[in-house]
């Protein structure tokens, strides 16, 4: 039971009115939504603070091991609903708002998404923080307080435009500035020798932490996400104008993933990486020293988790502190460093494996670079002893430094005690192909932890209708123990359940349709199949294949009466941001919008086929989209999507996956069985072999396959009469001459999967059963399961007592 403001409805109303008046000098009836939101947020944060202080007090007393999760991105989404729910005070507030004549929902929606991430990687980190707190585990996020998040996307004449995401313009009610815990981060300068190496930086940047509370679900535990802000240091750099210094440092916590096509841009990204890695390590080490007076036992109490390679520099930074500040011997420092760092690999895409040119790293971080050289030297020597001179090729291949660059993944694997992939297939590919040679040396380090999503946000909070329905059949145990969703299997043949499920689905489709109508003035049929692909736009995710298939459907609706007679009306929904500099991805967005414009306005077919591209896909939009889907498009080229998490959100909300055997789709397929999923296309082995044998010749398909040729020609023959004739010629050429991601190769199999889904949907009762089996089997993808695995097998942490 809560005391104080949130004790009951009346006490809340009284305090809410009073605080509003004190803050804005207004009666509640004259207040704006912004003011009401801010007061609500403030009151909730104050309530959180009570638990926050208590949690911290306990941890100060306990000798307890903690994990610090370092990630360049945390895609948090709104916190207000999450905090109200996890604190168990949403009902009180909702009743009070109803009494006052305000809509709580609308007030919650006033909060803007903090754009501290761009896609799956950042969303995963956010889900993990929620699970850590909700399982009562001591775990903290570490990131940058980006002044501007990832851009806001506008679609104009079918093209993506990027607008600044000014998410902090009106402040952020959840954050608390911790001035006292600020630290200085050194850059540039040189290294001198005085009985040992002494680093003399020429510049310092002050890192000031802002802590955002992470509220556990009904357990009074509050963890934190620490966001670092770059500010001027008191140690002012010599020979630099104030203006120059100020404008340079502002960029460090300026934007996420600044353009890195120039030297300056690359340097800035590396500055960002070192900035938040070093600030995090320093503040954690300071805290540890304050408590224990030594770092000898650091590994007993601390784990640094490296989420993808962006925070890799915590490794040499910790070495620097242990060697230069604590004056430890190398071996002892190395032993500690290896015992406190664990690494998650997220990708095998070659272009995404970070490699930093020496000529960027060395001048910016001279001491850090020197330490990486020494780590590399020792690693190579060790390897040499193991494999001998005759295998020098292997040494060159695995070296941390080579060809003028630092290979960050190699540094992580060599230095960490644990290396994990994010789905079974992905980890197998790491072990057997991508990182095989490292696996041969360090088999004990490699482990799989399949990704997960927080079922609280993605089911309990965003699909209250479905949650209530499930509760009626299986009780509320699944809210704490998502595996209990499996109990639903006993009921999947019950007619009432299936009908009730379809009703819920329809409600969620209507809610989404309303939002789409409000924003885009396009009416969609909520009896049509909602076939949805929402995720970052990338060639390997193959939105292009989806688009080509829609062109096929459109063509057949126009020309083939049998096809039309058999076709269940479809609404294809896309949502995707393309990286600002990713030319091809932006072309695909343009193509989808061009198709949408043509088919949506064709009265001959538009009762059967609508295409929607939602603007500015983000977490809040996802929360409306996932519950409304009938079909979840997970169609990446097999082996390319490490895991995916969108696939899990859809599944948990009762959508059927139409996808390749890639990432976690493989595990979904195993769980639900072939009757409850639509699998198509080449598998990972076939793709790997095809690459090994030099790819294939898409031109041959183009020449010999009439249907594909017809579709491809529509891209360039004026079929889209409103566009310049060469608008899509790059897409055409890419498909005909490269097709690196096997769009044409998988096309027919993809089309067949769609045909089967179309047929299956006609029996809605059977469809509902399939959807319910998916929900029943989705508990394993709750991030509580992932986090329990991390806690047990990698971090060795225990709940806060
Ligand atoms: C879950 C999520 C993602 C990741 O989607 P994938 O399909 O796994 O790539 C990306 N963006 C947002 C906003 C999400 O919620």
């Amino acid at each position: 039971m809560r005391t104080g403001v949130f004790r009951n409805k009346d006490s809340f109303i009284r305090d809410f009115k009073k605080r509003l008046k004190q803050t804005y000098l207004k009666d509640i009836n004259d207040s704006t939504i912004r003011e009401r939101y801010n007061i609500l947020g403030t009151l909730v944060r104050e309530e959180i603070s009570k638990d926050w202080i208590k949690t911290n007090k306990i941890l100060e007393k306990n000798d307890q091991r903690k994990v610090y999760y370092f990630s360049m991105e945390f895609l948090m989404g709104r916190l207000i609903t999450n905090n109200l729910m996890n604190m168990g005070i949403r009902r009180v507030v909702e009743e009070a708002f109803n009494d006052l004549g305000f809509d709580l929902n609308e007030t919650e929606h006033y909060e803007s998404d903090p754009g501290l991430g761009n896609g799956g990687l950042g969303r995963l980190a956010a889900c993990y923080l929620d699970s850590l707190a909700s399982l009562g585990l001591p775990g903290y996020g570490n990131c940058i307080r980006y002044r501007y998040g990832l851009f806001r996307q506008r679609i104009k004449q079918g093209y993506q435009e990027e607008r600044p995401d000014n998410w902090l313009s009106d402040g952020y009610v959840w954050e608390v500035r911790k001035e006292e815990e600020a630290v200085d981060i050194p850059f540039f300068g040189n290294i001198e020798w005085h009985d040992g190496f002494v680093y003399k930086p020429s510049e310092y940047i002050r890192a000031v932490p802002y802590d955002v509370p992470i509220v556990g679900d009904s357990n009074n535990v509050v963890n934190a996400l620490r966001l670092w802000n770059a500010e001027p240091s008191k140690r002012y750099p010599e020979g630099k104008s104030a203006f120059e210094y100020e404008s340079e440092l502002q960029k460090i916590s300026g934007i996420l993933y600044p353009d890195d096509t120039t030297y300056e841009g690359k340097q800035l990204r590396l500055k960002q990486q070192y900035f938040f890695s070093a600030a995090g390590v320093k503040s954690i080490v300071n805290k540890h020293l304050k408590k224990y007076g030594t770092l000898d036992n650091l590994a007993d109490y601390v784990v640094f988790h490296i989420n993808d390679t962006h925070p890799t520099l915590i490794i040499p930074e910790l070495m620097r502190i242990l060697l230069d500040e604590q004056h430890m011997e190398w071996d002892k420092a190395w032993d500690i460093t290896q015992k406190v760092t664990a690494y998650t690999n997220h990708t095998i895409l070659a272009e995404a494996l970070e490699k930093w040119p020496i000529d960027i790293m060395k001048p910016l971080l001279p001491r850090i670079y020197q330490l990486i050289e020494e780590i590399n030297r020792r690693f190579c020597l060790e390897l040499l002893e193991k494999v001998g001179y005759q295998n020098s090729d292997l040494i060159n291949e695995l070296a941390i430094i080579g060809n003028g660059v630092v290979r960050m993944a190699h540094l992580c694997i060599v230095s960490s005690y644990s290396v994990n992939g994010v789905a079974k297939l992905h980890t197998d590919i790491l072990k057997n192909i991508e990182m095989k040679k490292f696996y041969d040396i360090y088999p004990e380090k490699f482990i799989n932890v399949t990704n997960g999503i927080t079922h609280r946000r993605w089911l309990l909070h965003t699909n209250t209708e479905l949650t209530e329905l499930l509760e009626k059949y299986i009780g509320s145990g699944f809210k704490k123990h998502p595996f209990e969703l499996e109990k639903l299997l006993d009921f999947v043949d019950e007619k009432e359940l299936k009908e009730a499920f379809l009703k819920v689905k329809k409600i969620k489709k209507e809610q989404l349709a309303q939002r789409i109508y409000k924003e885009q003035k396009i009416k969609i049929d909520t009896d049509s199949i909602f076939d949805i692909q929402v995720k970052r736009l990338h060639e390997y995710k193959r939105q292009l294949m989806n688009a080509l298939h829609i062109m096929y459907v459109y063509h057949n609706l126009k020309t083939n009466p049998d096809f039309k007679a058999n076709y269940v009306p479809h609404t294809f929904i896309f949502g995707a941001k393309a990286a600002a500099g990713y030319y091809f991805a932006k072309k695909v967005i343009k193509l989808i919008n061009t198709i949408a414009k043509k088919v949506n306005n064709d009265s001959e077919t538009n009762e059967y086929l609508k295409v929607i591209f939602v603007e500015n896909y983000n977490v809040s939009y996802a929360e409306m989209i996932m519950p409304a889907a009938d079909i979840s498009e997970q169609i990446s080229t097999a082996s390319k999507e490490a895991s995916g998490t969108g696939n899990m959100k859809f599944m948990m909300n009762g959508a059927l996956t139409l996808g390749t055997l890639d990432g976690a789709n493989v595990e979904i397929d195993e769980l639900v069985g072939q009757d409850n999923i639509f699998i198509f296309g080449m598998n990972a082995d076939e793709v790997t072999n095809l690459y090994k044998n030099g790819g294939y010749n898409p031109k041959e398909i183009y020449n010999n396959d009439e249907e594909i040729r017809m579709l491809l020609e529509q891209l360039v023959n004026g079929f889209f009469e409103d566009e310049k004739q060469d608008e899509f010629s790059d897409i055409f050429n890419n498909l005909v001459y490269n097709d690196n991601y096997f769009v044409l190769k998988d096309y027919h199999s993809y089309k067949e999967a769609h045909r089967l889904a179309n047929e299956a949907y006609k029996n809605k009762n059977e469809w509902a059963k399939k959807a319910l089996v998916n929900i029943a089997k989705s508990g394993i993808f709750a991030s509580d399961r992932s986090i329990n695995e991390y806690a047990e097998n990698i971090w060795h942490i225990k709940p806060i007592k």
Side-chain angles (χ1 to χ4, degrees):
M1 270 284 52
R2 300 257 151 213
T3 55
V5 187
F6 295 93
R7 188 175 57 245
N8 57 40
K9 184 178 74 175
D10 296 327
S11 61
F12 176 80
I13 290 178
R14 197 175 53 243
D15 284 10
F16 187 76
K17 282 181 172 171
K18 190 167 119 195
R19 186 64 73 87
L20 200 123
K21 195 168 227 165
Q22 286 170 346
T23 311
Y24 296 113
L25 315 172
K26 273 184 185 175
D27 275 339
I28 185 138
N29 293 326
D30 303 324
S31 64
T32 64
I33 185 165
R34 182 186 77 87
E35 291 162 347
R36 291 192 294 277
Y37 164 78
N38 276 334
I39 297 302
L40 175 62
T42 307
L43 291 173
V44 174
R45 197 197 58 232
E46 286 170 6
E47 188 67 20
I48 291 170
S49 300
K50 298 182 195 167
D51 289 347
W52 206 357
I53 293 166
K54 267 188 234 152
T55 308
N56 287 339
K57 280 253 161 69
I58 294 170
L59 282 170
E60 264 162 43
K61 261 205 319 256
N62 288 3
D63 272 332
Q64 201 163 351
R65 200 173 153 82
K66 302 170 193 156
V67 63
Y68 295 91
Y69 197 88
F70 284 69
S71 177
M72 201 79 200
E73 306 178 29
F74 283 86
L75 197 57
M76 300 298 288
R78 287 188 196 112
L79 291 185
I80 179 88
T81 311
N82 198 64
N83 289 348
L84 286 168
M85 293 285 239
N86 285 5
M87 297 284 288
I89 55 181
R90 192 171 184 283
R91 176 151 309 156
V92 169
V93 174
E94 190 173 19
E95 284 170 7
F97 266 59
N98 286 344
D99 271 21
L100 292 166
F102 298 116
D103 184 352
L104 176 59
N105 243 325
E106 192 192 17
T107 313
E108 291 171 288
H109 283 220
Y110 181 81
E111 182 171 316
S112 50
D113 282 27
L116 307 179
N118 90 71
L121 177 101
R123 186 52 233 172
L124 182 77
C127 284
Y128 282 0
L129 289 186
D130 182 67
S131 282
L132 278 163
S134 293
L135 295 168
L137 292 162
Y140 304 86
N142 231 281
C143 188
I144 295 175
R145 183 175 179 267
Y146 303 103
R147 177 68 188 77
Y148 295 94
L150 187 72
F151 63 87
R152 289 182 54 81
Q153 181 192 55
R154 282 280 101 91
I155 302 295
K156 232 178 166 170
Q157 254 111 48
Y159 296 101
Q160 166 175 298
E161 287 186 356
E162 300 95 30
R163 304 271 172 81
D165 170 32
N166 195 3
W167 72 287
L168 274 173
S169 62
D170 194 26
Y172 189 52
V173 285
W174 306 112
E175 67 183 8
V176 180
R177 181 179 166 94
K178 296 270 177 73
E179 185 77 32
E180 286 69 25
E181 294 179 49
V183 291
D184 266 357
I185 306 301
F187 289 99
F188 301 108
N190 43 51
I191 300 162
E192 292 170 10
W193 176 266
H194 308 276
D195 286 338
F197 292 111
V198 179
Y199 173 37
K200 297 276 168 97
S202 65
E203 185 171 323
Y204 289 91
I205 309 271
R206 186 171 157 83
V208 183
Y210 285 71
D211 285 351
V212 177
I214 306 297
V215 179
D217 175 22
S218 332
N219 64 359
N220 303 96
V221 168
V222 180
N223 290 335
L225 166 60
R226 175 155 278 198
L227 302 173
W228 293 97
N229 197 44
E231 299 180 16
S233 161
K234 298 214 168 62
R235 290 182 270 188
Y236 216 77
E238 278 171 42
K240 207 169 233 182
S241 79
F243 176 77
E244 205 183 340
Y245 178 53
E246 183 76 29
S247 81
E248 276 177 16
L249 74 88
Q250 272 183 14
K251 286 189 190 136
I252 294 178
S253 46
I255 59 168
L256 174 65
Y257 299 133
D259 172 37
D260 66 346
T261 51
T262 62
Y263 180 91
E264 285 72 30
K266 285 194 182 70
Q267 189 189 63
L268 175 57
R269 282 206 192 187
L270 192 61
K271 257 188 193 172
Q272 290 185 320
Q273 295 190 356
Y274 182 65
F275 174 76
F276 91 100
S277 304
V281 170
K282 201 164 231 179
S283 71
I284 294 156
V285 161
N286 284 346
K287 202 166 162 184
H288 186 89
L289 278 172
K290 211 165 127 194
K291 182 160 177 171
Y292 297 101
T294 173
L295 296 183
D296 289 0
N297 61 355
L298 187 71
D300 295 337
Y301 296 110
V302 166
V303 187
F304 294 126
H305 200 88
I306 301 175
N307 190 36
D308 215 345
T309 51
H310 315 112
T312 302
L313 294 177
I314 63 181
I315 293 163
E317 174 63 9
L318 183 58
M319 285 300 286
R320 190 189 67 75
I321 291 173
L322 296 176
L323 295 169
D324 295 1
E325 295 177 8
Q326 299 293 314
H327 308 291
M328 280 183 196
E329 295 296 318
W330 181 278
D331 288 342
K332 187 171 164 191
W334 181 240
D335 183 53
I336 293 175
T337 301
Q338 278 193 310
K339 281 182 178 149
V340 300
T341 50
Y343 160 62
T344 297
N345 174 284
H346 280 273
T347 182
I348 57 161
L349 293 182
E351 73 268 24
L353 282 174
E354 281 197 297
K355 296 182 177 73
W356 284 105
I358 295 168
D359 64 357
I360 290 181
M361 188 183 283
K362 198 172 170 183
L364 181 69
L365 306 166
R367 180 64 177 143
I368 291 299
Y369 178 71
Q370 189 184 39
L371 290 169
I372 295 174
E373 269 186 329
E374 182 60 16
I375 294 171
N376 182 47
R377 192 184 67 81
R378 287 170 186 251
F379 167 66
C380 290
L381 270 179
E382 214 180 284
L383 200 53
L384 187 66
E385 259 169 47
K386 253 188 216 167
V387 302
Y389 278 102
Q390 65 279 16
N391 284 312
S392 62
D393 281 358
L394 179 73
I395 298 170
N396 286 331
E397 191 186 332
L398 299 192
I400 296 166
I401 303 174
N403 290 331
V405 298
V406 179
R407 300 161 180 154
M408 303 302 258
H410 293 200
L411 180 53
C412 285
I413 296 172
V414 170
S415 314
S416 304
Y417 68 89
S418 165
V419 176
N420 77 284
V422 291
K424 283 182 194 159
L425 175 68
H426 170 61
T427 303
D428 284 344
I429 291 174
L430 287 181
K431 286 192 200 171
N432 301 328
I433 303 170
E434 228 39 56
M435 302 293 177
K436 180 175 188 328
K437 288 169 186 163
F438 278 114
Y439 177 62
D440 290 343
I441 306 172
Y442 307 119
E444 73 289 350
K445 289 191 185 187
F446 284 74
I447 176 170
N448 175 248
V449 183
T450 298
N451 282 170
I453 54 163
T454 166
H455 69 292
R456 284 168 290 276
R457 180 178 292 260
W458 295 107
L459 174 60
L460 309 185
H461 304 171
T462 59
N463 203 342
T464 49
E465 296 87 346
L466 180 57
T467 302
E468 271 171 36
L469 176 62
L470 296 175
E471 249 180 308
K472 261 192 225 153
Y473 283 82
I474 60 172
S476 56
F478 71 96
K479 293 182 176 181
K480 274 278 174 201
H481 306 286
F483 274 102
E484 288 188 20
L485 285 168
E486 240 186 312
K487 290 184 180 171
L488 201 60
L489 288 180
D490 293 342
F491 305 99
V492 294
D493 284 312
E494 287 194 12
K495 192 154 171 279
E496 295 90 84
L497 172 61
K498 287 187 273 191
E499 279 170 3
F501 168 77
L502 293 171
K503 237 182 230 158
V504 166
K505 188 54 88 180
K506 174 103 171 155
I507 292 170
K508 301 314 278 183
K509 285 163 89 168
E510 267 159 13
Q511 290 170 359
L512 177 61
Q514 266 175 28
R515 167 146 185 197
I516 287 170
Y517 184 73
K518 202 170 116 206
E519 293 193 7
Q520 294 171 251
K521 296 287 169 291
I522 303 173
K523 281 215 169 84
I524 56 181
D525 172 9
T526 53
D527 286 324
S528 67
I529 297 177
F530 279 22
D531 181 309
I532 307 186
Q533 186 175 19
V534 285
K535 47 182 74 245
R536 285 304 296 260
L537 212 136
H538 203 291
E539 282 163 277
Y540 84 80
K541 292 179 184 274
R542 298 200 291 194
Q543 282 95 346
L544 182 53
M545 187 166 70
N546 192 344
L548 275 185
H549 174 255
I550 294 170
M551 289 167 65
Y552 158 82
V553 170
Y554 178 62
H555 177 80
N556 275 271
L557 288 173
K558 298 284 279 184
T559 59
N560 182 348
D562 281 347
F563 181 94
K564 194 168 179 177
N566 267 310
Y567 196 66
V568 181
H570 275 63
T571 304
F572 289 94
I573 299 174
F574 293 85
K577 290 181 184 175
Y582 192 169
Y583 170 82
F584 195 81
K586 290 174 131 179
K587 274 287 177 202
V588 173
I589 291 181
K590 171 65 179 169
L591 175 63
I592 293 166
N593 282 304
T594 300
I595 295 169
K597 188 171 159 207
K598 187 164 174 94
V599 308
N600 293 350
N601 292 309
D602 188 334
S603 58
E604 218 174 85
T605 58
N606 64 13
E607 278 172 37
Y608 294 84
L609 176 63
K610 281 264 169 70
V611 180
I612 304 289
F613 188 98
V614 302
E615 224 172 28
N616 199 43
Y617 174 62
N618 61 8
V619 173
S620 294
Y621 220 142
E623 288 174 10
M624 299 206 68
I625 289 172
M626 300 300 166
D630 297 306
I631 293 179
S632 154
E633 296 263 358
Q634 307 300 336
I635 60 178
S636 53
T637 312
S639 80
K640 297 292 174 188
E641 186 77 87
S643 162
T645 49
N647 45 4
M648 302 167 184
K649 300 169 200 165
F650 279 113
M651 177 191 187
M652 200 175 270
N653 282 281
L656 271 59
T657 304
L658 191 159
T660 47
L661 285 177
D662 198 15
N665 299 352
V666 175
E667 288 158 72
I668 295 177
D669 176 56
E670 276 169 18
L671 285 162
V672 302
Q674 57 180 12
D675 289 345
N676 303 301
I677 191 165
F678 303 99
I679 294 292
F680 73 93
M682 287 190 288
N683 64 28
D685 283 343
E686 291 166 332
V687 168
T688 308
N689 285 332
L690 202 50
Y691 279 123
K692 236 192 253 158
N693 300 328
Y696 82 115
N697 187 358
K699 185 78 193 289
E700 239 165 65
I701 298 190
Y702 173 79
N703 286 337
N704 300 324
D705 187 316
E706 237 175 89
E707 181 177 304
I708 286 180
R709 190 165 63 246
M710 180 272 299
L711 294 173
L712 292 188
E713 276 169 7
Q714 285 184 353
L715 295 172
V716 289
N717 67 6
F719 174 76
F720 297 113
E721 55 282 272
D722 295 344
E723 306 299 335
K724 295 187 301 269
Q725 194 137 341
D726 65 351
E727 181 69 53
F728 302 120
S729 53
D730 289 324
I731 293 182
F732 175 89
N733 287 328
N734 183 294
L735 287 175
V736 176
Y737 297 105
N738 292 315
D739 196 20
N740 278 326
Y741 295 98
F742 308 134
V743 170
L744 304 190
K745 189 104 185 144
D746 273 347
Y747 167 82
H748 284 289
S749 154
Y750 179 55
K751 192 177 83 180
E752 175 63 8
H754 268 289
R755 194 186 65 76
L756 293 172
N758 182 74
E759 291 311 308
Y761 196 81
K762 291 176 182 171
N763 188 341
K764 290 204 70 168
N765 247 318
E766 274 301 297
W767 185 276
K769 178 178 170 184
K770 294 174 197 294
L772 289 163
V773 171
N774 271 273
I775 296 169
K777 292 288 189 177
S778 69
I780 198 168
F781 296 116
S783 47
D784 289 5
R785 188 267 314 148
S786 314
I787 286 297
N788 275 325
E789 288 180 16
Y790 276 103
E792 228 163 83
N793 303 328
I794 297 179
W795 299 332
H796 310 297
I797 55 170
K798 299 241 151 53
I800 300 167
K801 177 59 220 101

